[in-house]
Every structure is written in structure tokens, then in C-alpha cells.
Amino acid sequence: MADKSKIWGGRFQSGPSGIAERISESISFDHVLYDVDIRGSIAHVNMLERCGILSEESSHKITDALRSIHAEIEQNGLEFSWALEDIHMHIEKILTDRIGDDGKRMHTGRSRNDQVAVDTHLYLKETIEGQSGLLLSVMKTILEMAEKYRGKIWAGYTHLQIAQPVLLSHYILSWFWKFARDFQLMQFAYSETCQNPLGAAAMGGPNYPVDPDMVREELGFGKSYENSMDAVSNRDYQLSYHFFASRLSLHISRFCEDMIIYNTSEFATIRFSDAVTTGSSIMPQKKNPDIAEILRSKSARITGNLNSLMMNLKGLPTTYNRDLQDDKVYLFDTIKNVTLILEGMKELLTNVIFFPDKLQKNLEAGFGTATDVADYLVAGYHLPFRDAHHISGAIVAIAEQKKVFINQISPADIATILKPFEDKYNIKINLNPAEFTVEKSVSRRGGSLSTSPEMVERQMDKARKLLEEIRLTCF
Amino acid sequence: MADKSKIWGGRFQSGPSGIAERISESISFDHVLYDVDIRGSIAHVNMLERCGILSEESSHKITDALRSIHAEIEQNGLEFSWALEDIHMHIEKILTDRIGDDGKRMHTGRSRNDQVAVDTHLYLKETIEGQSGLLLSVMKTILEMAEKYRGKIWAGYTHLQIAQPVLLSHYILSWFWKFARDFQLMQFAYSETCQNPLGAAAMGGPNYPVDPDMVREELGFGKSYENSMDAVSNRDYQLSYHFFASRLSLHISRFCEDMIIYNTSEFATIRFSDAVTTGSSIMPQKKNPDIAEILRSKSARITGNLNSLMMNLKGLPTTYNRDLQDDKVYLFDTIKNVTLILEGMKELLTNVIFFPDKLQKNLEAGFGTATDVADYLVAGYHLPFRDAHHISGAIVAIAEQKKVFINQISPADIATILKPFEDKYNIKINLNPAEFTVEKSVSRRGGSLSTSPEMVERQMDKARKLLEEIRLTCF
Amino acid sequence: MADKSKIWGGRFQSGPSGIAERISESISFDHVLYDVDIRGSIAHVNMLERCGILSEESSHKITDALRSIHAEIEQNGLEFSWALEDIHMHIEKILTDRIGDDGKRMHTGRSRNDQVAVDTHLYLKETIEGQSGLLLSVMKTILEMAEKYRGKIWAGYTHLQIAQPVLLSHYILSWFWKFARDFQLMQFAYSETCQNPLGAAAMGGPNYPVDPDMVREELGFGKSYENSMDAVSNRDYQLSYHFFASRLSLHISRFCEDMIIYNTSEFATIRFSDAVTTGSSIMPQKKNPDIAEILRSKSARITGNLNSLMMNLKGLPTTYNRDLQDDKVYLFDTIKNVTLILEGMKELLTNVIFFPDKLQKNLEAGFGTATDVADYLVAGYHLPFRDAHHISGAIVAIAEQKKVFINQISPADIATILKPFEDKYNIKINLNPAEFTVEKSVSRRGGSLSTSPEMVERQMDKARKLLEEIRLTCF
Amino acid sequence: MADKSKIWGGRFQSGPSGIAERISESISFDHVLYDVDIRGSIAHVNMLERCGILSEESSHKITDALRSIHAEIEQNGLEFSWALEDIHMHIEKILTDRIGDDGKRMHTGRSRNDQVAVDTHLYLKETIEGQSGLLLSVMKTILEMAEKYRGKIWAGYTHLQIAQPVLLSHYILSWFWKFARDFQLMQFAYSETCQNPLGAAAMGGPNYPVDPDMVREELGFGKSYENSMDAVSNRDYQLSYHFFASRLSLHISRFCEDMIIYNTSEFATIRFSDAVTTGSSIMPQKKNPDIAEILRSKSARITGNLNSLMMNLKGLPTTYNRDLQDDKVYLFDTIKNVTLILEGMKELLTNVIFFPDKLQKNLEAGFGTATDVADYLVAGYHLPFRDAHHISGAIVAIAEQKKVFINQISPADIATILKPFEDKYNIKINLNPAEFTVEKSVSRRGGSLSTSPEMVERQMDKARKLLEEIRLTCF
């Protein structure tokens, strides 16, 4: 006898086996869609009524019941049944139990395919709206830190080797611009969620004169899909969100790597407050940067979800295949982790103290102004850069060998290094290493990208202006 | 003794070992950058002159020589030397050999870091410009196919099971919209390449009053980076391109999967011309869809490159680390494959014939109009959809069991199925399965996303308009 | 004031923030370790006692209490507290609440690092033991199917084009050998879990004369790690399991792809029973192979977890970093999915019927014996294979053009094709296409790998023998 | 007219287009197979002769010609033709041009499918044999380093925070065991290449009484495949090699991360010699660990190839599909990079100097013996570990606050900390922080995994023994 608990039961002579049921079910993860599912159904039913496909009486009965069910789930949650496979079946079952045959009319002119599609579009659209606030808040916090440390010196690293002095605000702002690009990418992903797929039905459009535009408007989408087969097979909007999440998580992983290294007792140029560190169960002296480490690791998980969805889609026949059910597993997991890393990033930022004074010493020990020596020789004596670079390199070599700072090298050593070049170009070079301080180094930097104090002020102005103007738009 | 062939040789007491040299070299793949590298250097030198950092005489000597070197490489290629590691060293060496000390002045006010950055930005920017033409050409070909098969019937599949009849043009256009979204994504990636990083120097800006805006204008970028540390550590523009390439390749893999299945002797609803098939070395009867298979496989390679770059970047300290050298391996490989799949896709499209007449038979055998029966009962007799679905399912079950088409079922069987519902609702149902043809099915479909002939015409208008208006813009 | 709920609280002036707590917690997923955690602790405490590090009284108090706690969790579950972060803290808290100071002695001579390591090794080891039974059961089912369809004809495909006839048992057994290799890989992964890490402490070994060998023996490991730093940083055993799972899932994805295609109404050479198919909410005639599709999709998820762990580990400093906490998320998810795909695979196998008779017709239509014609010419007339291939190809071309089977081609056409070759080699060729039946084709195949009936019997013998002998061993 | 340069040309009415040819070709990367391809053909032809399928005369003509062609390619290389698609066609064309019709007989009883399969199995098998020597050499170098630094102190880190003192040899040996596991995995991959697929023909076995066992023996495989369909569709042996390469590369990436951090001017506990570092084009003081960074990055590329092959295989119908052609792109690239990272790893090891003396200072500053204090209190006064941990943590907190080492804390401060515990347990605790030296700390460690000097000696013995015994075996 047919399993009547399945809505398509008419044709089945026996119900699915226990294992098959367990494999098929999605209620264990798609239950979070109850809110958008009910709102999508209400919009659909309203449209059916306005298009004359459903009577006013049936329509009101359905939408009233759906609103009650929504309120009840909000308050009491929902009891799952594996036999009722997904959230859509659960809600339809409650509805039909409650209002009878009219409940069965809710599904007129749509299919599970466009119903699920509208649910995931709407759910992701509104998720992004919420997360955009978190991202802006991270950007704002970064800008405030840059303002707070205005004028302080920091070391710029390449290859984890001290390269040159920069302003700490410049270093901090370098993260601002990465997150600003992430916001643009978030906007791109958002605009791909702003499309209404309801009206695609199974994949060719319904046998009713529906008006997708009414649904679009009621649910707040910017436009409708142009093609029903595209609408139900499309996962681009999810891929774009996963990619946004991946790029964001990579930026955070790089920031955390910096912080974890700077937080070692060997660097000791930043320090986390207790709120974001933990102790060791066995080593009492440890103060481990666990939160930064966990945030660093999340890029692995988030990009894993992007990968999984890409592999899932690879070589999949159009239009809908059940493989696609797993898209929600990846999506919900990444959504959760994006919220976590954005909140965690803000928590980290508000719990880190930079020690620019410590850096100044490191910079001197690390010969961070050697480039300035070379550039001085080019600008002042028109030496070819490569020769100037050789001189500066030789000075560093002596400083290293004698274990002194650049500004402690003896005039005799300097003279020995300069001699061949003075002879070659027939000039007399006046070079006093003591003049090459980190403060002068920073101020001397030219061009709009540079770390010179004026340019960093200009950056902060631009960043401030950006934060005032930037908004998600649904187009 | 110092290895003088290395420009930083001043400090090294011994040259790198053979193995280290082999590990470090990038000339074997970055040589393709010679064109943008030379143009970038010319723009840089012109700017140095206009900013008074370089004399007019030196500037002209350098740019004249660079133009000659460019012409010579175009004509004769370039001999590689592993000792000269990368393309930048190769060109600088030729230049310095040729014009002496002035050659060494070319590098004033920049670093290898911003030089490489400007090269890759420019190279990718111009690559995208070229590939955008290929993508538009694929879209145009799809539209022309849709126009050509106007009015023909096709089967819409879900789960690789025949679902409902659609217009063949509708099926074809479903691919148009996917590629249209890819164009938007390409535009996104493009705008991220439209940023000038020159002026970042090693990572803090140069010790010269450079003007990045002049370089930006000469090279055709839309804007300059705001922050030098961001400029040299940023790989977002490459990630975005890899993501564009991945999504594009996934669309193509899905299209190819459809074609490969439709091309089997069992489906036989399309056929490839010989230009895109190959034979078997052992089985003379085979006509293998090799090109479609190779294109399907490329998504694996292209997403692999995205993955590799993401993993490379994970947890990488700012700003520049040598790990990033591998970015070009991934980038150039993906660029090559994007060109290949776009050209291949167009080749496939122009070498495939659809057999819509064959489909019509399949649709009838596959009960593709069963949904229409259900919907007819809802619209005509106000049956709840679920009841109508049960009736339709029962009709299919009988047709399957008796091995006939829906329209060959006996009136007696129909009556037996309808009876309980007629009794339940106290109505008389008039149901003639023979009226449910595929043509009527398609015409009956409602709403702007649907496959009805008018809506498909409207889609073609929209697609035509899009192709007229769509253009890459550099902002 | 210190947060006393954290065992390392002595040094912290304030507890972790709410967000940090939420980011850090692992109890939401690591609670499944309660069983191995308690057994690991009991083994540790027994060893401490036998080594004289813990008094008999303390030891018994602890192990008795742990056994009670175990029984209670088994019966009533466990209430989570985010503040108690992970399963280890939960159990320790219950223990200490119950027996006071002695509870605090349980942790003597170990660290959280080796405790977690022993838990995950043991958990995975025993998981593999359980899953090995499922895999063997799948292999056994495959063998039984091969035996059941003994002597039946099937089509071998390459490029989804019919290539040559094979025995259906041969096709079915081709999957047996893939799973047999997976069993070997499972054994490899298993042997990497058979190592005891307890005794590593935080990473350098404990300050007590512990005896890791006692723990090893009590918990059933084959050996102990050689090096404490390796023991706590190692995730190789997890990687190997993920790789096993990935390869297994890829095999299953390929099998499901075959089945999904063979199950279409166009191929119709297999059929699933209702237990593993589902209907459509809108299209009553559909019988969708959902279970096969879901199983196909799981490779995306399972390889995603492998990827995530690899990316997590990339560039991670030794020894333990908190990033590694996420390993369990990947591991548990993959474990769950491996069970699901193994059970699902068996369910599929027991719910699929092959229609070899249908295939025979396809084979004739698809010219599956064309190769036999070519080989006959080589063997009988010593034609070079390439010439024979040309003749056979020409026969197929005519058959296709005239829309007949090979054995219906007219003698005149055959003669025209043969003429140039008879002239070239001065021979007379006797070629009767009607003799090239699929049964003869299969029987003619030579060599131990081939599909000839004797060789397939031999394969079944070997497979049967393998199943009798194959066992997981812990070394 | 048929394109005669294609061996399957008989059926084609027009040759493949230019683009299709470019997409199809593999000669640009599979040319490296010429050696194994020729050896495989010789073994095949010898077998054909011995089985009476080919005359002695033909056989000798073919094998003599193949040997000459081999020698010529060794000496002069090979000119590629895109029209001749792959290495197999190239060689066959040369052969046929040279000896005429007998050349065409070489392909009797095999197909391109098993020919390619035997080539890739053999190529990878012999590659692994070569690379096993490199891996053993890395292991040997590590052991020698451990022996060289015998008795020296090093810091064990967790969370990049100094945890406890260990012996430097212990730290170094922790890498030995990771590579030892990699060797086992290499052996696993190797044994999967030790299978002869020749005899599978296209996928069902050839129409000739071939003897795969003869080929197996001549080529040095351990066994033959059991099933022809499995033999041509199988890529497991490649997946296993990719996984081996991935895990190896991850180990190396982690080692390099350690070295890069230890090499900073802030840590300065190791130093690379010039052979593996490079300078900056703009910053003369830099000594960048480029080789270590490049090696770290290679895990991204190598795991990318594993990913690509997995995605390629996902959902691929059996048996052979042209998608699989790309397997060689991934394989050759990973082979090249495995050689590079193994050679690079050895180069790094022989160019790094450890400064254990520097570490001793760090350990004291980092409170690396705090755990010892806690354990002393447990062992000496039977304090519960958690209380001892609190005391030790409080000592560290004071040391940090007063910026002194643990052994410089005043007796008064110690007394204040101890007081509540002395009262609680009614004991008198004698605690002299000055006694907690790093040397004593290391010696005190217990159990076979620990860093105590005896255990480390035992480890070295075991490692030495392993290196003597370990050998690849082909089974």
C-alpha cells in the first residue's frame, strides 16, 4: 500500500526504506528555512489570489494559517519527522492538517524546485544584509585603530624580515582596503541573490497565468529570472557568496598570522588581552592566542565548502538533480562561520594592543633604513641605483659583522666602502649614517600610496568617506 | 666571491646553489610578461622624468632602448638564463649591457614588488579584455541557435528523467543567462585589475616624490591603490579572475555533460559533426565526443588553480613572501585554459545539431504531459492540487503497466481512477488524455520565466538588447 | 577576579568574552568522544597506579567514578555548558564535583594535547573497524550480483559510446576490484590509527616515569609513537582516513553516474525499485533516482573535508596550534558520510535490476562487434591492423548511412569495401557480417584480464577467496 | 576527403578543426612517456610473438626499429606535430614510415587505452623508485643533524608560545618520523603502480590469446589487473601518489614555516647560509628565506593537483572518457614538484645552522620551566595537579609583572603565593625556583616518547635501524 505520508505517494507501491529515508532527509539542516519558506508561500498565495487563480477565501485561509504556524514555530520550535523529509513538507503537513483541502491548494502553480529556490535566495539575501553590518563594523573598528595610533612607527615586513619603517596607521589601514574590497564582493554576491526564481515551477514554468513580478515585489527582490530552466539549475549566487566568504576568510587568516607571530615572546610587539587568549592545561606560563588561531583556521573550512559546491556542480546535468540538496549543508555552514569570523575579528581588534615603541628598536636592529641610505646616494649624488644599493648593502654587512646599528659604524669603515665609487664617478660623498632615523625615513616617502604622514591622513579621510557612503543595494 | 650576475650581489659571499637556483627561477613561465614589463618600465621612467627625478636625457635613453628591446624580443624571442631568474632581470640585464649606468637608473623609485604587481595587473587586465570578446561571441552564438530552432519542442529534464516539454529555444537560452552572469563576474574581476600598484615600492612607498597617477593614466588603469602595503600583498584581483574562470568552466562542464548524454546512441537527440569528435584506435564504429569531454574536464583543472592560490595565501604573513611567486603559474595556466574552453565552447556550438523531432517521441513515451493533466483538473474542477496529482500519477502508473502512451489509455481505466474523486467532490469530470499534446503543454505555460512561445520571444529580445549594450568598463 | 570555571583560571584576570567562548567551544561536536575519553582516562590512571605515580586508592576512586559517569552518559546523555568548552572539561568537572581532589589527580602526567590525541586515534580506529564490515558487505553484495547474472551480456562503454559486448558479471566485478583497493587503503589508514600517543604530554613528555606501553596495550594499539613532538602535531592518520573516504566516495560517484544514466527512459537498461527512488511534487510520472544522486554528490562533501584539513595544516607551525581543533569537525562529518554512502551503496545494489536483454539490442544498434570484424581480418588474413580497422570502419559507415545493423549489409557493399585490400595483398577475403554476434564476441576475448566466460569465473573465484581472507590488522 | 594523418581516419569525412586539434593534443606534455611507451611496445610485441600472434620476423623488425627510434629520441629529441596528437601516434608514425606494414602490426591485441595505462603505470612506478632515494636521503640528513646536535637544548613551542625545553635532537627527530610515515605511504602508492594493465585492450580484453603475465614479467610489475574494465578506468594509483605528494608537501610546508619564523631577526634561533637565501632588489639589509618560502608554497600546488584529479573523476561514467587525458598534466606537474621539494628540503637542511644557546635564554625569558614547578609540587607534596598549576601560574604572573626570570623571584613573593595552599593542606613547601633549570627539566621527562636524553638516544638507534632496513618492494 502506498505510503500516504509522502505527498507524491499516489504512484509508489512501497515507501522508501529506512536507510533511503535517512539519506534523503534534509529537515535536520533545512529547518532554518521555516521563516523564508512561510513568507515565500504567503507571497505566492497572495499572487495567486490577485491573478484570479485562487479564491479570496482560500487565499486568506491559507495565509492566516501560515502566519499562525510561523508564530508557533518562533515560540515553540518544530518537531521533526524523518518521514516528512524537509521543512517544506513539514509546514505543508501542519497546514493541511489544520485547514484541510485549501492547504493543498497552496502549491498550485509552483513546484518544490522554485519553492526551494526562492527560499534559499531570500534566506541568503537577508543573511548578507545582516552580515554587511558586521563587516562594516570591522572596517569601522580598523579605521578607529588607525586614528588612535596616528603618528606611531611600525615595521613593514617582507619575507617576515624587517624591510622598512612605516606608520602603524598605514599598516592598520592596509587591512581596511582589503575588507573594503570584500564589501564590494559581498555586494556582487548580494545582487545575485536579488533575483526572484518563483514562477519557474519544476523547470518550464507553471500551467497557470502567474505573475512573478508580484512575488518579486512582495519579497523585495530587485528583478526576476528571465528563464525558468536557468532559475532552478542556478547555484551561481551561492558560489559567489562562498567565494566572498573564502576571500574574506583568507584576509582574516593573514591578519591572524601576523598577530600570532607579533604576539610571540620573541617579537612581543603586540599583546592580546585575556578575553581572546586561553591558558594551557599543563603549562601555567602560556597565554595562547587561541581565538586568532581558530579564526586563521576557518579559511580552511570556508574554502572547503566552496570547493564542495564546485565539485558538486561539476558535470551535473541540467536542470535540477538531487545532488543539489547538499548545497544547503555548505551554505548554512559557511554562513555560520562568516558570522563567527566577523564577530571574532572585531573581538580580536578590540582586544589587541600594539607596542610601536618596541618596534622602533627592532627596526634599528634590523637595519630598516638601509634603503634610505641607498636612495640618498641616488638623489644626492646621482649614483646609479644599483651602485647605491651595493654601498648600502656593504654598510649593512659591516654592521652585522660588528654587531652594531647602522648609525654606529665608524667613519673609517664608511670611507673604505665609499672609496671605489668616489673614484669611479670622481665625486666626494658626505654620508653620515646617524642621520638615517626611522622618523625621517617615513616622512621622506613619496606618492599617494606611500606611508608618509600626509598620505596616511588622506587615506583616513578616504576611508571615513567610504564608510559614510557604502551601502548594500539590491539591483 | 660575490655572484655579480645577481643585482643584489653586493652582500652575498657566495652565489645560490644550483638546486636553489632551479627552485627560485620563474623565467620559465614569467617570460610572457616581457611586453607589459617593458611598457610598465616606460611608463615609470616617463613619470620619473616628468617629476624631475630623472633627467630628460637618461629617460629618453632608457625608453628608446626599451622600445628596441621590445621589438627584438617580438621578433627573435629571448634567450633564458637561470641565473637571471626572472623576466625583469633578463630585461634589465640587456638594458644595462646596452646603455650602461643609465640602465641602472630605471629602477629608481620602485621595487621588484610593485614592478611585478603592475605587470600582473596589466597583463591580466588586457587578457580579460581579449577574453571578453570570446565570451560575447559564445553568447551571440547561443542566441543565434535559439533563434534558429524557434518553435521547436524539446524535453526538459530533472534528475535526468523527462519532466515536461519545453521549447528548444528556451533550453538553449537557459545557457545564455548563465554566461551573461559570467560576463558580470568577468566585469567584477576586470574592475579589480584596473588598479595601479606602481608607487608602492617594496611596501611602504619610495623615497622619491613619484606620481602614481601619471603611471595609472599612461597604462590605462581606472584608479591607483590607496595603500602601498595593500598593493604589494593583494592577490584579490587574481582570486576573482580564478573564480570567474571556475564558474565559467562549471557552466561549460554542465553543458558538455548534457551534450555527451544527448549524443549517446540511446538518446541520439543531438549529433556532433566530425570536427569535434574522434574515432577509436580499436573500435571503428565509435564517434567519441572527445572535445566535449575535454571541455568538461577543464573545470577540474581551473578550480584546482583557484584552490591552489587560496591555499597559498592562507595564513601568509603580510606583505610580500616568496610563496606568492607561484601565483603566476596558476594564473597563466588558467588564462590558457579559459581561452581554450571559450574557443572550444564556440566550436562545439557550431558543430552540434539538435533533433527536436526525436524528442517529441521521447516526451510522449516519458509521460511528459502528466503534469498538464493534473493542472487541468485543478483549473477546470477546482480539485486540490494534491488530489489532481494523485489522479495523474495513477494514469501514468497504468500507462507504464500497460506499456502505452497516456493518450492510449482506455476510457474505462480513466473512469476507474476518477470515480473516488468524483464521489468525494460530487462532480463529473471530463478527461480526454488525447488532448494533452506537447505543443499545447508548452503554450499553456504562464509567467515571465516560462517556456511559452511569447515569453521565449521576449527572452530573445532581451538577450539581443543585452548583447548590444554589454561592454567591459574600467572603473 | 579569575573565572574559576576554567581549569587554567589561576592566571586570568578576567574570563573570556561571550564571543570568544562561542568561537572556542568544541563541545557541540566533540561530545561524541565521551566514550573513548573515559576509556582513555581509565587506561591512563591504571598505568599511573601501576607505575607508582598514583596510589591504589586514588586510582580506584577515579576509575570507579569514571565508569559510573560513562554509564550515566550512555543512559541520560550529557548537558553541555559552553563555559566548559570541550568534552574533556565536562567529564573532568563531573568527576571533580563527585570525588573532589582525587579527580584533579587524573590529569597527572598527561596534557590536554596527548589526551585529545589518544581520544581521536582510538575513536577513528574503532570507527574504521565498524566501517570495514560495511565495506566488506558491499563487496560481498557485488560478488553475489556478479554470480546471479552469470553468462548475461552487457555493453562496455567508453566515452559513453557503446564499445564492445562484455559479460554483465565482468562489468559488475569491475567495481569489486575498486572496492578491494579501497579496503587496502582503509587498512593503511587503520594502521596509522594503531599508534598510541599517550605519553607525549604537552609535546615533550611528562615529568613522571610513565609507561606508554601499558596504555597502548590496554587500549589495543599496535605500537606507540616514537617522539612526543611528532605525536601531538601529527594528523597524518586523519589525512589518510580522509583520503580513503575520498577515493571510496569517488568510486561510488562513478557507479551512481552509470546507474543514473542507465536508469533514464532512453537507456532503460536498469531499473531501481521504489525503495531508492522518489517522486516529483509536481510531475506524477517521474521516478527519480534520488538516492543514487545523493550518493554521487557525497564525494564533493567528503573530498571537501580532506581539502579543509590539508589547508588547515598547510604552513602550520609545530607542534600544536588551536587551528587543529577544527580537525574533528571534518573527521566526524566524513565518518558520518562514509557510513551513509556505504549503507546507501548496499541499499542501491539490492534495489537495482539489470536488463541484459535490452542491452543486446543496443549493442547491435551500436555496432558493438565492429572491432571483431577488424580482428578477424588480422587473424584470418594477416592484414595489418590499421587496414583491418579501415575496412571495419567503412562497414560501420555504410550501416549507419543505410540505417541497418552490421549483419544486414549487402554482400555487394561488402565486396566494394574489400576490393582495394584484396587487390593490394592479392588475397580473397571471405567476410560474413552475420557471424559476428555478441556472444561469440565475448567468448573470443583472450588473456587473464578479459571478459571471456572462463576468465570471469576465475575472477569470481579470486573475489570469493579474497573475501574469505581479508581482515583488518592492527600493526 | 579523409585526413590520412589520423590512424582512425577511415571513417571521418573531414579532419578535426584547428581549434579541436589544439584542444585534443597531449603531445606537448605526454612526450616524456616516449621511453616507457617504447619499452611497453617492445614487451607487448615480444609477448605477441611468443604467443604465436605475430611472426618472429615481424616481431624482430618492429622491436629493432623501436630500439633505434628510442636511441634517436634520446640523442636528438622528437619533433612534435599537433596533427599527431600524442606520443603514441608520433612513435607509431615514425615506425610505420620506417618499416611499413609490419609497423601497423604492433598494435595487434591492444588498444590505446591499455597502452596509455601501461605507460603511466610504468612511468610512475619508476619515478617513485627514483624519488624514494631522495626521500631516504632527506631522512638520513635529518638523522645526521639530530646526531650532530646531540645534548643541545631547544624550545618546544605550542601555539607559537614557548612551552617547555626539549632536546634539539628531539625536535629534529620529530620530522624524521613524519617522513618515515611518508615513506610508508610512498610504498603504498608504489604497490598500486606495480600492476600490469596491458591485456585490457579497449576495456573488455583483446580478440587474441594474449598472455598479460609475460608483459608483466618483462616490465617488472608485481601482478596484473584482474579485470579489464577496472584496468582502463582506474586512476587510484595516481590518486595515491598525489596523496603521498600532498602529505609530504604539507610536512615540508610546516617545517619551512618553523624555519622562516626561527630565522627572523626577532627569533634569530637559526640561520640559513647564503646558498638558500636571496637579497632584496631595493633593501640591502634583507636576507630573505626564499627557498623555504617557495618550498612552503608548493603544498598549495601539489594538493591542487590532487584536487583536480579528484574533481575530474567525480561522477565520470566508466570506463574511459577523454576527460582522463588531463590526468597526465596533474601527474607530471606533481612529479616535478616532488623532486623539487625533496631536493630543496635536503638543500635547506644542509644550509641551516641552529643556535641552541640563543634558545636557552629565550626559554628562561619565556618561563619554559613553569610546568616543572607544578609537577614538583605534585610529586613532592602530593598537591592535586590543578592546585600546583595555580601556584606555578601565579609565579609566572609575578615574574611577568616584575619583568624578571622565574629564578629571580623573591622568597617573599613565593611565600605569599604558597601560603593558602600550605594552610589548606597543612604542609610546609620548600620551593626554590632557581633549581628549575632547563637541563634538569629535559632530563626529568619520562616515558618512551619523551625528550629525555636516553629516550632520544633510543630514537636515534631506531631511526638508524629503520634507514638500514627500509626498501621499496613491488608486490
Side-chain angles (χ1 to χ4, degrees), chain A residues 192-207:
Chain A
E192 291 200 330
T193 66
C194 282
Q195 287 199 66
N196 169 40
L198 206 66
M203 52 88 243
N207 280 322

Side-chain angles (χ1 to χ4, degrees), chain D residues 57-202:
Chain D
E57 194 200 331
S58 293
S59 163
H60 288 197
K61 245 168 108 179
I62 296 171
T63 54
D64 286 352
L66 285 173
R67 281 190 199 92
S68 305
I69 293 168
H70 189 279
E72 287 161 29
I73 296 177
E74 294 267 291
Q75 200 159 10
N76 309 320
L78 179 67
E79 203 170 304
F80 301 163
S81 155
W82 276 17
L84 292 169
E85 199 161 283
D86 59 26
I87 184 63
H88 323 291
M89 301 276 283
H90 276 74
I91 288 169
E92 190 167 329
K93 177 74 165 40
I94 301 173
L95 181 72
T96 314
D97 285 352
R98 202 165 288 188
I99 63 168
D101 284 348
D102 274 316
K104 298 184 186 170
R105 289 194 170 93
M106 171 175 71
H107 212 50
T108 311
R110 74 174 179 188
S111 158
R112 182 70 77 239
N113 290 357
D114 59 343
Q115 181 184 4
V116 172
V118 83
D119 285 8
T120 45
H121 278 75
L122 192 54
Y123 186 82
L124 183 53
K125 175 177 175 291
E126 298 181 355
T127 293
I128 295 176
E129 288 162 8
Q131 292 181 337
S132 73
L134 294 176
L135 178 52
L136 288 173
S137 172
V138 165
M139 290 166 67
K140 193 159 164 287
T141 307
I142 291 174
L143 176 56
E144 287 164 0
M145 288 174 70
E147 291 168 335
K148 176 178 152 195
Y149 288 109
R150 188 178 260 128
K152 295 291 183 182
I153 296 289
W154 197 248
Y157 288 83
T158 58
H159 307 264
L160 262 193
Q161 300 274 314
I162 289 178
Q164 289 181 303
V166 293
L167 288 183
L168 175 49
S169 303
H170 191 67
Y171 169 72
I172 292 171
L173 285 168
S174 74
W175 298 102
F176 181 90
W177 301 110
K178 294 186 193 303
F179 291 114
R181 276 193 303 276
D182 287 334
F183 193 94
Q184 293 309 326
L185 181 51
M186 184 185 233
Q187 168 68 60
F188 181 85
Y190 183 64
S191 76
E192 291 199 330
T193 68
C194 281
Q195 288 199 65
N196 169 41
L198 206 65

